[in-house]
Amino acid sequence: MKIAVFMGGISSEKEVSVRTGTAILNSLLRQGYDAYGVVLDKNNLLSAFIDNEYDLAYLALHGEYGEDGRIQGLLDILGKKYTGSGVTSSAVSMDKDLTKKIAQSVGVSVARSYTRNDIDNIVEFPIVVKPSTEGSTVGLYVCHNKEELKEAIKNSGDKDLVIEEFIKGEELTVGVIEGEALGVLKITPKIGLYDYKSKYTVGMTEYEYPAKISEKAYQEAMEYATIIHNSLKMKGISRSDFILKDEKLYFLEVNSCPGMTETSLVPKLATLKGYTFDDLTRKIVEKFK
């Protein structure tokens, strides 16, 4: 079986995707798989999938044109097998606002949401503004008054936005692989928010796994992440993010193709189940044999 690891792309998360793809490729090669990497850009976004030879497309793509169902749809048309979630699951989970509605419908609590039309009537701050279809905390604003809120919305342009109450609490994340919850990790930025800089700068964030929270909250986070994974009919690996405040969990978002570098959150969580990085990539590939 020849495996092509597709990485890069044209989203704001291209750099992170290349790191993920490189780590996955190295893992597959270590294990003796017939694998090679393909870096996508605006010039080969379509042709790379048509011109290359492969039996399985291992998708290491983040953000738009990679994680949002469009590439998955192309591969379906080409009749090619690929890792991760399918078209519908990818498209829905990419939309944070839509995913929140689904989470709420299956009994998972979420932060109070607003629309652009509500901004003049908002009186409780802070408020979070973030693009509905981007990850890695790109374009995230925390607004402490109406002026900051209007400025954040203006700076976001025509993008679909999630506008929601800012809930200050413990930041948690749960990895799920093929419906199996791996564990709960607590994220503690040393300075300010868990933003792009905190995520990808060594030493700026502390990670605690297993998270030292109550057993009730721990099990609930595992259960909720599994419910969301299954409700969206996701495949492969997903990662759900939560805020824990006063022993109540609030769902934030789910990633259908989370970061998979050697230091990413899912590989950290996998160690709680005794899985190595190579175990994860092998579990994903083996089902296609």
Side-chain angles (χ1 to χ4, degrees):
M1 178 172 63
K2 185 179 286 290
I3 305 170
V5 181
F6 291 95
M7 64 189 91
I10 60 172
S11 80
S12 57
E13 299 172 78
K14 176 175 181 175
E15 181 186 340
V16 183
S17 170
V18 171
R19 291 190 212 171
T20 288
T22 301
I24 289 169
L25 176 60
N26 289 338
S27 171
L28 295 175
L29 292 174
R30 271 198 305 270
Q31 297 176 77
Y33 287 102
D34 182 8
Y36 67 99
V38 181
V39 179
L40 302 177
D41 56 34
K42 63 181 181 180
N43 298 313
N44 69 348
L45 193 60
L46 176 62
S47 62
F49 293 97
I50 299 171
D51 297 340
N52 285 292
E53 291 186 16
Y54 53 96
D55 302 302
L56 174 65
Y58 200 126
L59 300 182
L61 300 163
H62 304 317
E64 291 185 288
Y65 290 97
E67 201 174 353
D68 59 2
R70 285 183 267 202
I71 294 299
Q72 289 78 3
L74 169 62
L75 288 164
D76 282 341
I77 291 170
L78 295 174
K80 291 288 191 178
K81 296 176 182 178
Y82 57 91
T83 61
S85 294
V87 176
T88 304
S89 300
S90 298
V92 171
S93 61
M94 185 70 183
D95 188 316
K96 297 182 183 70
D97 187 53
L98 186 54
T99 306
K100 279 179 62 180
K101 289 181 171 67
I102 293 171
Q104 199 167 22
S105 75
V106 294
V108 179
S109 297
V110 299
R112 184 186 305 134
S113 294
Y114 301 94
T115 69
R116 289 175 186 258
N117 295 328
D118 297 326
I119 59 173
D120 287 326
N121 300 316
I122 296 175
V123 293
E124 294 185 15
F125 289 86
I127 294 290
V128 175
V129 176
K130 56 187 176 183
S132 188
T133 57
E134 287 189 48
S136 290
T137 57
V138 173
L140 180 142
Y141 298 88
V142 177
C143 310
H144 298 87
N145 53 55
K146 203 163 289 186
E147 290 70 31
E148 289 183 4
L149 175 58
K150 290 181 177 179
E151 184 68 18
I153 291 172
K154 179 183 176 183
N155 291 340
S156 300
D158 297 328
K159 293 178 181 177
D160 289 333
L161 298 175
V162 171
I163 304 170
E164 63 186 11
E165 64 175 323
F166 175 76
I167 300 173
K168 187 172 179 59
E170 295 176 286
E171 297 186 53
L172 307 176
T173 195
V174 182
V176 177
I177 181 166
E178 301 295 357
E180 176 192 10
L182 297 171
V184 185
L185 179 149
K186 182 164 74 173
I187 299 162
T188 308
K190 292 184 178 178
I191 301 173
L193 292 170
Y194 188 52
D195 56 12
Y196 190 95
K197 185 177 180 181
S198 292
K199 276 187 178 183
Y200 301 114
T201 304
V202 175
M204 287 195 66
T205 303
E206 293 179 351
Y207 302 104
E208 178 183 277
Y209 53 102
K212 294 176 184 175
I213 55 179
S214 71
E215 182 63 20
K216 176 179 177 293
Y218 195 100
Q219 293 304 322
E220 220 166 54
M222 299 260 283
E223 179 186 352
Y224 285 171
T226 306
I227 288 172
I228 290 162
H229 183 98
N230 293 334
S231 296
L232 294 176
K233 299 180 180 178
M234 303 179 86
K235 296 177 182 177
I237 296 173
S238 73
R239 200 195 76 230
S240 290
D241 299 336
F242 301 89
I243 291 288
L244 177 64
K245 181 181 181 182
D246 300 329
E247 283 299 292
K248 184 173 181 179
L249 280 168
Y250 297 87
F251 169 72
L252 297 178
E253 63 183 86
V254 62
N255 297 274
S256 64
C257 187
M260 276 286 287
T261 69
E262 300 280 1
T263 56
S264 293
L265 304 186
V266 168
K268 283 180 167 65
L269 285 163
T271 63
L272 299 177
K273 291 285 187 177
Y275 297 142
T276 65
F277 191 93
D278 288 352
D279 289 334
L280 290 179
T281 58
R282 186 169 60 255
K283 282 173 76 72
I284 294 300
V285 168
E286 276 184 341
K287 61 183 288 187
F288 294 98
K289 285 186 176 180

